Amino acid sequence: GRVLLLAGEGMRFRADGQFADADGDTAAENETWTATYRETQDVVEGYPIHPTGRAVPRKVRLAVGRWIPVLNPDDPVWGIHIPAGEPMEFFACGLSFQRAKAWLPRFAPDHLGRVWTCSSWMLDPQFEKWLAPDANTVRFLRELYLHPLPGATDAALFERVFDNQRPPLEPMPEDLTSMQRAVLEHQRRGGRWRAGGGVMFWDDLRWGGRVYRSQWSESAEFGLGELLES
């Protein structure tokens, strides 16, 4: 009943699990590692993505039959759009997903996608460290299986949060929202923001259950155990 995302063949990542070209720069080759992916009749071998949005440099072996592919390249999906202008009230978001799950098959019966995908500045898992646990942004991103994005930067964040401006870090402006203050404080301490991606399978829609977080621990090997290749 668990879900595990695997990185694609040849994808390059930094030590922090982000793509080598994240933050508008390309990390040196000796500072990165490259994922591989292989399928045989018996096993699928690859490098996992932790649901908090980072690639893990430990190869896993998944037994064919015990593990079933549920999403492959070029499979149809549904995109999530997060419109500007209104608060992302958490339970209203959950209701929207539930309504969409019931309505989309009637709206487009030939579209076989049964998974939602999203790419957004709001899916940067670093928000979990800088915003309150009950913040709508934090609660929303914890419902998705997060993954890093190639070429991810902070451009969309500053477009939406600061109207394309980059306020000074010192002295920090006083009339800031909690989101704006968190963004600038993280940068003031040397951090970098970047957009992230996320998926949610329709069968896993249990809003508020943090389904993917509950399946895997936060440790470096996050409960993979016997799946890790020695």
Side-chain angles (χ1 to χ4, degrees), residues 56-103:
V56 180
R58 291 292 304 275
K59 186 183 292 187
V60 296
R61 294 168 57 90
L62 308 180
V64 172
R66 287 190 62 197
W67 289 84
I68 303 169
V70 291
L71 185 65
N72 295 297
D74 301 322
D75 281 353
V77 300
W78 291 99
I80 300 170
H81 175 61
I82 304 175
E86 295 184 11
M88 289 176 56
E89 200 283 319
F90 182 69
F91 291 105
C93 289
L95 181 60
S96 179
F97 278 106
Q98 292 167 3
R99 289 174 172 172
K101 182 178 178 180
W103 181 75

Short mmCIF file of all heavy atoms in Angstrom, two decimals, residues 56-103:
data_model
loop_
_atom_site.label_atom_id
_atom_site.label_comp_id
_atom_site.label_asym_id
_atom_site.label_seq_id
_atom_site.Cartn_x
_atom_site.Cartn_y
_atom_site.Cartn_z
N VAL A 56 17.52 10.62 -2.77
CA VAL A 56 18.34 9.91 -1.79
C VAL A 56 19.39 9.08 -2.51
O VAL A 56 19.05 8.24 -3.36
CB VAL A 56 17.46 9.00 -0.90
CG1 VAL A 56 18.30 8.26 0.12
CG2 VAL A 56 16.37 9.82 -0.21
N PRO A 57 20.68 9.25 -2.20
CA PRO A 57 21.75 8.55 -2.92
C PRO A 57 21.98 7.12 -2.44
O PRO A 57 23.10 6.72 -2.16
CB PRO A 57 22.97 9.44 -2.67
CG PRO A 57 22.72 10.02 -1.33
CD PRO A 57 21.23 10.24 -1.24
N ARG A 58 20.93 6.36 -2.30
CA ARG A 58 21.03 4.95 -1.93
C ARG A 58 20.12 4.16 -2.87
O ARG A 58 18.91 4.39 -2.91
CB ARG A 58 20.60 4.73 -0.48
CG ARG A 58 21.53 5.30 0.57
CD ARG A 58 22.86 4.58 0.63
NE ARG A 58 22.72 3.16 0.86
CZ ARG A 58 22.60 2.60 2.06
NH1 ARG A 58 22.54 3.36 3.16
NH2 ARG A 58 22.51 1.29 2.20
N LYS A 59 20.69 3.23 -3.62
CA LYS A 59 19.92 2.46 -4.59
C LYS A 59 18.99 1.48 -3.87
O LYS A 59 19.33 0.88 -2.86
CB LYS A 59 20.84 1.70 -5.53
CG LYS A 59 20.11 0.98 -6.67
CD LYS A 59 21.06 0.19 -7.53
CE LYS A 59 21.98 1.10 -8.32
NZ LYS A 59 22.81 0.33 -9.29
N VAL A 60 17.77 1.34 -4.43
CA VAL A 60 16.82 0.37 -3.90
C VAL A 60 16.51 -0.67 -4.98
O VAL A 60 16.66 -0.42 -6.18
CB VAL A 60 15.50 1.03 -3.44
CG1 VAL A 60 15.74 1.98 -2.29
CG2 VAL A 60 14.82 1.76 -4.60
N ARG A 61 16.11 -1.84 -4.52
CA ARG A 61 15.69 -2.93 -5.41
C ARG A 61 14.26 -3.30 -5.05
O ARG A 61 13.98 -3.74 -3.93
CB ARG A 61 16.61 -4.14 -5.25
CG ARG A 61 18.05 -3.90 -5.70
CD ARG A 61 18.97 -5.03 -5.26
NE ARG A 61 18.51 -6.32 -5.75
CZ ARG A 61 18.87 -6.85 -6.93
NH1 ARG A 61 19.71 -6.18 -7.71
NH2 ARG A 61 18.43 -8.03 -7.31
N LEU A 62 13.35 -3.11 -6.00
CA LEU A 62 11.94 -3.40 -5.77
C LEU A 62 11.56 -4.67 -6.51
O LEU A 62 11.78 -4.78 -7.73
CB LEU A 62 11.07 -2.25 -6.27
CG LEU A 62 11.42 -0.85 -5.76
CD1 LEU A 62 10.47 0.18 -6.35
CD2 LEU A 62 11.40 -0.79 -4.25
N ALA A 63 11.01 -5.63 -5.80
CA ALA A 63 10.62 -6.90 -6.41
C ALA A 63 9.38 -6.71 -7.28
O ALA A 63 8.35 -6.22 -6.81
CB ALA A 63 10.37 -7.94 -5.33
N VAL A 64 9.49 -7.09 -8.55
CA VAL A 64 8.35 -7.03 -9.45
C VAL A 64 7.28 -7.98 -8.93
O VAL A 64 7.55 -9.13 -8.60
CB VAL A 64 8.77 -7.40 -10.89
CG1 VAL A 64 7.54 -7.52 -11.79
CG2 VAL A 64 9.75 -6.37 -11.44
N GLY A 65 6.06 -7.50 -8.87
CA GLY A 65 4.96 -8.29 -8.31
C GLY A 65 4.56 -7.75 -6.96
O GLY A 65 3.38 -7.49 -6.73
N ARG A 66 5.55 -7.57 -6.08
CA ARG A 66 5.26 -6.91 -4.81
C ARG A 66 5.06 -5.42 -5.03
O ARG A 66 4.27 -4.79 -4.35
CB ARG A 66 6.40 -7.14 -3.82
CG ARG A 66 6.49 -8.55 -3.25
CD ARG A 66 7.49 -8.59 -2.11
NE ARG A 66 7.07 -7.73 -1.02
CZ ARG A 66 7.88 -7.33 -0.04
NH1 ARG A 66 9.16 -7.71 -0.05
NH2 ARG A 66 7.44 -6.55 0.92
N TRP A 67 5.81 -4.87 -5.98
CA TRP A 67 5.70 -3.45 -6.33
C TRP A 67 5.14 -3.35 -7.74
O TRP A 67 5.63 -3.98 -8.66
CB TRP A 67 7.06 -2.77 -6.23
CG TRP A 67 7.54 -2.61 -4.82
CD1 TRP A 67 8.19 -3.56 -4.06
CD2 TRP A 67 7.37 -1.48 -3.99
NE1 TRP A 67 8.44 -3.07 -2.80
CE2 TRP A 67 7.96 -1.78 -2.73
CE3 TRP A 67 6.80 -0.21 -4.18
CZ2 TRP A 67 7.97 -0.88 -1.67
CZ3 TRP A 67 6.81 0.68 -3.12
CH2 TRP A 67 7.39 0.35 -1.89
N ILE A 68 4.12 -2.52 -7.89
CA ILE A 68 3.41 -2.40 -9.17
C ILE A 68 3.56 -0.98 -9.68
O ILE A 68 3.29 -0.02 -8.96
CB ILE A 68 1.91 -2.73 -8.98
CG1 ILE A 68 1.75 -4.13 -8.40
CG2 ILE A 68 1.16 -2.59 -10.29
CD1 ILE A 68 0.34 -4.44 -7.95
N PRO A 69 3.98 -0.80 -10.94
CA PRO A 69 4.09 0.56 -11.48
C PRO A 69 2.71 1.21 -11.61
O PRO A 69 1.80 0.63 -12.20
CB PRO A 69 4.75 0.36 -12.84
CG PRO A 69 4.44 -1.05 -13.21
CD PRO A 69 4.40 -1.81 -11.93
N VAL A 70 2.58 2.40 -11.04
CA VAL A 70 1.30 3.11 -11.10
C VAL A 70 1.40 4.42 -11.88
O VAL A 70 0.39 5.04 -12.17
CB VAL A 70 0.74 3.39 -9.69
CG1 VAL A 70 0.31 2.09 -9.03
CG2 VAL A 70 1.76 4.12 -8.83
N LEU A 71 2.62 4.85 -12.20
CA LEU A 71 2.79 6.06 -13.00
C LEU A 71 4.11 5.97 -13.75
O LEU A 71 5.17 5.82 -13.14
CB LEU A 71 2.79 7.32 -12.11
CG LEU A 71 2.83 8.65 -12.85
CD1 LEU A 71 1.57 8.85 -13.69
CD2 LEU A 71 3.00 9.82 -11.88
N ASN A 72 4.03 6.02 -15.06
CA ASN A 72 5.19 5.91 -15.93
C ASN A 72 5.32 7.16 -16.78
O ASN A 72 4.37 7.94 -16.92
CB ASN A 72 5.06 4.68 -16.83
CG ASN A 72 5.09 3.38 -16.06
OD1 ASN A 72 6.08 3.04 -15.43
ND2 ASN A 72 3.98 2.65 -16.08
N PRO A 73 6.50 7.39 -17.39
CA PRO A 73 6.64 8.52 -18.30
C PRO A 73 5.56 8.48 -19.39
O PRO A 73 5.21 7.42 -19.90
CB PRO A 73 8.04 8.31 -18.90
CG PRO A 73 8.79 7.57 -17.84
CD PRO A 73 7.78 6.64 -17.22
N ASP A 74 5.02 9.66 -19.67
CA ASP A 74 3.98 9.85 -20.71
C ASP A 74 2.60 9.39 -20.29
O ASP A 74 1.66 9.45 -21.09
CB ASP A 74 4.38 9.17 -22.02
CG ASP A 74 5.68 9.69 -22.59
OD1 ASP A 74 5.91 10.91 -22.48
OD2 ASP A 74 6.47 8.90 -23.13
N ASP A 75 2.42 8.91 -19.05
CA ASP A 75 1.07 8.59 -18.59
C ASP A 75 0.27 9.88 -18.44
O ASP A 75 0.82 10.92 -18.05
CB ASP A 75 1.12 7.87 -17.25
CG ASP A 75 1.47 6.40 -17.38
OD1 ASP A 75 1.55 5.91 -18.52
OD2 ASP A 75 1.66 5.74 -16.33
N PRO A 76 -1.04 9.85 -18.68
CA PRO A 76 -1.86 11.06 -18.51
C PRO A 76 -2.01 11.42 -17.04
O PRO A 76 -2.12 10.54 -16.17
CB PRO A 76 -3.21 10.66 -19.13
CG PRO A 76 -3.25 9.17 -19.00
CD PRO A 76 -1.82 8.70 -19.16
N VAL A 77 -2.00 12.71 -16.75
CA VAL A 77 -2.18 13.20 -15.39
C VAL A 77 -3.09 14.42 -15.44
O VAL A 77 -3.41 14.95 -16.50
CB VAL A 77 -0.83 13.59 -14.75
CG1 VAL A 77 0.11 12.39 -14.69
CG2 VAL A 77 -0.16 14.74 -15.50
N TRP A 78 -3.50 14.86 -14.28
CA TRP A 78 -4.23 16.12 -14.13
C TRP A 78 -3.34 17.11 -13.39
O TRP A 78 -2.73 16.76 -12.39
CB TRP A 78 -5.52 15.92 -13.34
CG TRP A 78 -6.57 15.11 -14.05
CD1 TRP A 78 -6.84 13.78 -13.89
CD2 TRP A 78 -7.48 15.58 -15.04
NE1 TRP A 78 -7.86 13.40 -14.71
CE2 TRP A 78 -8.27 14.47 -15.43
CE3 TRP A 78 -7.69 16.81 -15.65
CZ2 TRP A 78 -9.28 14.58 -16.39
CZ3 TRP A 78 -8.69 16.92 -16.61
CH2 TRP A 78 -9.47 15.82 -16.98
N GLY A 79 -3.28 18.34 -13.87
CA GLY A 79 -2.49 19.37 -13.21
C GLY A 79 -3.29 20.10 -12.15
O GLY A 79 -4.51 20.25 -12.26
N ILE A 80 -2.61 20.53 -11.10
CA ILE A 80 -3.21 21.35 -10.05
C ILE A 80 -2.82 22.80 -10.30
O ILE A 80 -1.63 23.12 -10.39
CB ILE A 80 -2.70 20.93 -8.65
CG1 ILE A 80 -3.04 19.47 -8.37
CG2 ILE A 80 -3.28 21.84 -7.57
CD1 ILE A 80 -2.37 18.92 -7.12
N HIS A 81 -3.81 23.67 -10.39
CA HIS A 81 -3.54 25.10 -10.49
C HIS A 81 -3.90 25.76 -9.17
O HIS A 81 -4.98 25.52 -8.62
CB HIS A 81 -4.36 25.73 -11.61
CG HIS A 81 -4.22 27.22 -11.67
ND1 HIS A 81 -3.01 27.85 -11.90
CD2 HIS A 81 -5.13 28.22 -11.52
CE1 HIS A 81 -3.19 29.15 -11.90
NE2 HIS A 81 -4.46 29.40 -11.66
N ILE A 82 -2.99 26.57 -8.65
CA ILE A 82 -3.22 27.30 -7.40
C ILE A 82 -3.42 28.77 -7.75
O ILE A 82 -2.44 29.50 -7.98
CB ILE A 82 -2.05 27.13 -6.43
CG1 ILE A 82 -1.78 25.64 -6.17
CG2 ILE A 82 -2.32 27.85 -5.12
CD1 ILE A 82 -0.55 25.37 -5.32
N PRO A 83 -4.65 29.25 -7.83
CA PRO A 83 -4.88 30.64 -8.24
C PRO A 83 -4.47 31.62 -7.16
O PRO A 83 -4.52 31.31 -5.97
CB PRO A 83 -6.39 30.68 -8.50
CG PRO A 83 -6.95 29.61 -7.62
CD PRO A 83 -5.91 28.53 -7.57
N ALA A 84 -4.07 32.79 -7.59
CA ALA A 84 -3.70 33.85 -6.65
C ALA A 84 -4.95 34.56 -6.15
O ALA A 84 -6.02 34.48 -6.74
CB ALA A 84 -2.77 34.85 -7.34
N GLY A 85 -4.81 35.23 -5.01
CA GLY A 85 -5.86 36.14 -4.57
C GLY A 85 -6.68 35.69 -3.38
O GLY A 85 -7.32 36.51 -2.74
N GLU A 86 -6.72 34.39 -3.07
CA GLU A 86 -7.52 33.93 -1.95
C GLU A 86 -6.69 33.03 -1.05
O GLU A 86 -5.81 32.31 -1.53
CB GLU A 86 -8.75 33.16 -2.43
CG GLU A 86 -9.75 34.00 -3.21
CD GLU A 86 -10.99 33.21 -3.57
OE1 GLU A 86 -11.15 32.09 -3.04
OE2 GLU A 86 -11.79 33.70 -4.37
N PRO A 87 -6.97 33.03 0.25
CA PRO A 87 -6.25 32.13 1.15
C PRO A 87 -6.53 30.67 0.79
O PRO A 87 -7.63 30.32 0.37
CB PRO A 87 -6.83 32.47 2.53
CG PRO A 87 -7.44 33.82 2.39
CD PRO A 87 -7.93 33.89 0.96
N MET A 88 -5.51 29.81 0.95
CA MET A 88 -5.68 28.39 0.67
C MET A 88 -6.23 27.70 1.91
O MET A 88 -5.53 26.91 2.55
CB MET A 88 -4.35 27.77 0.25
CG MET A 88 -3.88 28.20 -1.11
SD MET A 88 -2.26 27.50 -1.49
CE MET A 88 -2.56 25.75 -1.29
N GLU A 89 -7.45 28.00 2.26
CA GLU A 89 -8.04 27.39 3.46
C GLU A 89 -7.97 25.87 3.33
O GLU A 89 -8.40 25.29 2.34
CB GLU A 89 -9.47 27.86 3.63
CG GLU A 89 -10.02 27.72 5.03
CD GLU A 89 -10.40 26.28 5.35
OE1 GLU A 89 -10.98 25.62 4.47
OE2 GLU A 89 -10.11 25.82 6.49
N PHE A 90 -7.41 25.23 4.33
CA PHE A 90 -7.00 23.84 4.19
C PHE A 90 -8.16 22.91 3.85
O PHE A 90 -8.07 22.11 2.92
CB PHE A 90 -6.30 23.38 5.49
CG PHE A 90 -5.80 21.97 5.43
CD1 PHE A 90 -4.74 21.63 4.62
CD2 PHE A 90 -6.40 20.99 6.21
CE1 PHE A 90 -4.27 20.33 4.56
CE2 PHE A 90 -5.93 19.68 6.16
CZ PHE A 90 -4.87 19.35 5.34
N PHE A 91 -9.24 22.97 4.59
CA PHE A 91 -10.33 22.04 4.36
C PHE A 91 -11.09 22.37 3.07
O PHE A 91 -11.64 21.48 2.42
CB PHE A 91 -11.27 22.01 5.57
CG PHE A 91 -10.62 21.37 6.77
CD1 PHE A 91 -10.18 22.14 7.83
CD2 PHE A 91 -10.41 19.99 6.81
CE1 PHE A 91 -9.56 21.55 8.92
CE2 PHE A 91 -9.78 19.40 7.89
CZ PHE A 91 -9.36 20.18 8.95
N ALA A 92 -11.08 23.63 2.67
CA ALA A 92 -11.67 23.98 1.38
C ALA A 92 -10.87 23.35 0.24
O ALA A 92 -11.43 22.90 -0.76
CB ALA A 92 -11.71 25.50 1.22
N CYS A 93 -9.54 23.30 0.40
CA CYS A 93 -8.70 22.64 -0.60
C CYS A 93 -9.04 21.15 -0.68
O CYS A 93 -9.16 20.59 -1.78
CB CYS A 93 -7.23 22.81 -0.26
SG CYS A 93 -6.59 24.48 -0.48
N GLY A 94 -9.21 20.51 0.46
CA GLY A 94 -9.56 19.10 0.46
C GLY A 94 -10.89 18.84 -0.22
O GLY A 94 -11.04 17.88 -0.98
N LEU A 95 -11.85 19.72 0.03
CA LEU A 95 -13.16 19.58 -0.61
C LEU A 95 -13.04 19.74 -2.11
O LEU A 95 -13.72 19.04 -2.88
CB LEU A 95 -14.13 20.62 -0.03
CG LEU A 95 -15.55 20.59 -0.58
CD1 LEU A 95 -16.20 19.24 -0.33
CD2 LEU A 95 -16.38 21.71 0.05
N SER A 96 -12.18 20.65 -2.55
CA SER A 96 -11.96 20.84 -3.98
C SER A 96 -11.43 19.56 -4.63
O SER A 96 -11.87 19.17 -5.72
CB SER A 96 -10.98 22.00 -4.20
OG SER A 96 -10.74 22.21 -5.58
N PHE A 97 -10.46 18.91 -3.98
CA PHE A 97 -9.94 17.65 -4.52
C PHE A 97 -11.03 16.58 -4.58
O PHE A 97 -11.14 15.83 -5.56
CB PHE A 97 -8.78 17.15 -3.66
CG PHE A 97 -7.46 17.80 -3.97
CD1 PHE A 97 -6.92 18.74 -3.12
CD2 PHE A 97 -6.76 17.46 -5.11
CE1 PHE A 97 -5.69 19.34 -3.39
CE2 PHE A 97 -5.54 18.06 -5.40
CZ PHE A 97 -5.00 19.00 -4.54
N GLN A 98 -11.84 16.49 -3.53
CA GLN A 98 -12.90 15.48 -3.52
C GLN A 98 -13.91 15.72 -4.63
O GLN A 98 -14.35 14.77 -5.31
CB GLN A 98 -13.58 15.50 -2.15
CG GLN A 98 -12.69 15.02 -1.02
CD GLN A 98 -13.25 15.33 0.35
OE1 GLN A 98 -14.36 15.87 0.48
NE2 GLN A 98 -12.50 14.99 1.40
N ARG A 99 -14.27 16.98 -4.84
CA ARG A 99 -15.20 17.30 -5.92
C ARG A 99 -14.59 17.01 -7.28
O ARG A 99 -15.26 16.50 -8.19
CB ARG A 99 -15.62 18.76 -5.82
CG ARG A 99 -16.54 19.06 -4.64
CD ARG A 99 -16.80 20.55 -4.52
NE ARG A 99 -17.82 20.83 -3.51
CZ ARG A 99 -18.14 22.06 -3.11
NH1 ARG A 99 -17.50 23.12 -3.62
NH2 ARG A 99 -19.09 22.23 -2.20
N ALA A 100 -13.31 17.33 -7.43
CA ALA A 100 -12.63 17.08 -8.71
C ALA A 100 -12.58 15.59 -9.01
O ALA A 100 -12.78 15.17 -10.16
CB ALA A 100 -11.23 17.67 -8.67
N LYS A 101 -12.30 14.79 -8.01
CA LYS A 101 -12.22 13.34 -8.21
C LYS A 101 -13.55 12.79 -8.72
O LYS A 101 -13.58 11.86 -9.55
CB LYS A 101 -11.82 12.66 -6.90
CG LYS A 101 -11.65 11.16 -7.00
CD LYS A 101 -11.21 10.59 -5.66
CE LYS A 101 -11.08 9.07 -5.74
NZ LYS A 101 -10.65 8.48 -4.44
N ALA A 102 -14.66 13.35 -8.25
CA ALA A 102 -15.98 12.89 -8.69
C ALA A 102 -16.37 13.46 -10.05
O ALA A 102 -17.04 12.80 -10.85
CB ALA A 102 -17.03 13.27 -7.64
N TRP A 103 -15.93 14.69 -10.34
CA TRP A 103 -16.39 15.40 -11.53
C TRP A 103 -15.54 15.16 -12.76
O TRP A 103 -16.07 15.07 -13.88
CB TRP A 103 -16.43 16.91 -11.22
CG TRP A 103 -16.91 17.75 -12.35
CD1 TRP A 103 -18.19 17.90 -12.79
CD2 TRP A 103 -16.09 18.57 -13.20
NE1 TRP A 103 -18.23 18.77 -13.86
CE2 TRP A 103 -16.95 19.19 -14.13
CE3 TRP A 103 -14.72 18.85 -13.25
CZ2 TRP A 103 -16.48 20.07 -15.10
CZ3 TRP A 103 -14.26 19.73 -14.21
CH2 TRP A 103 -15.13 20.32 -15.13
#
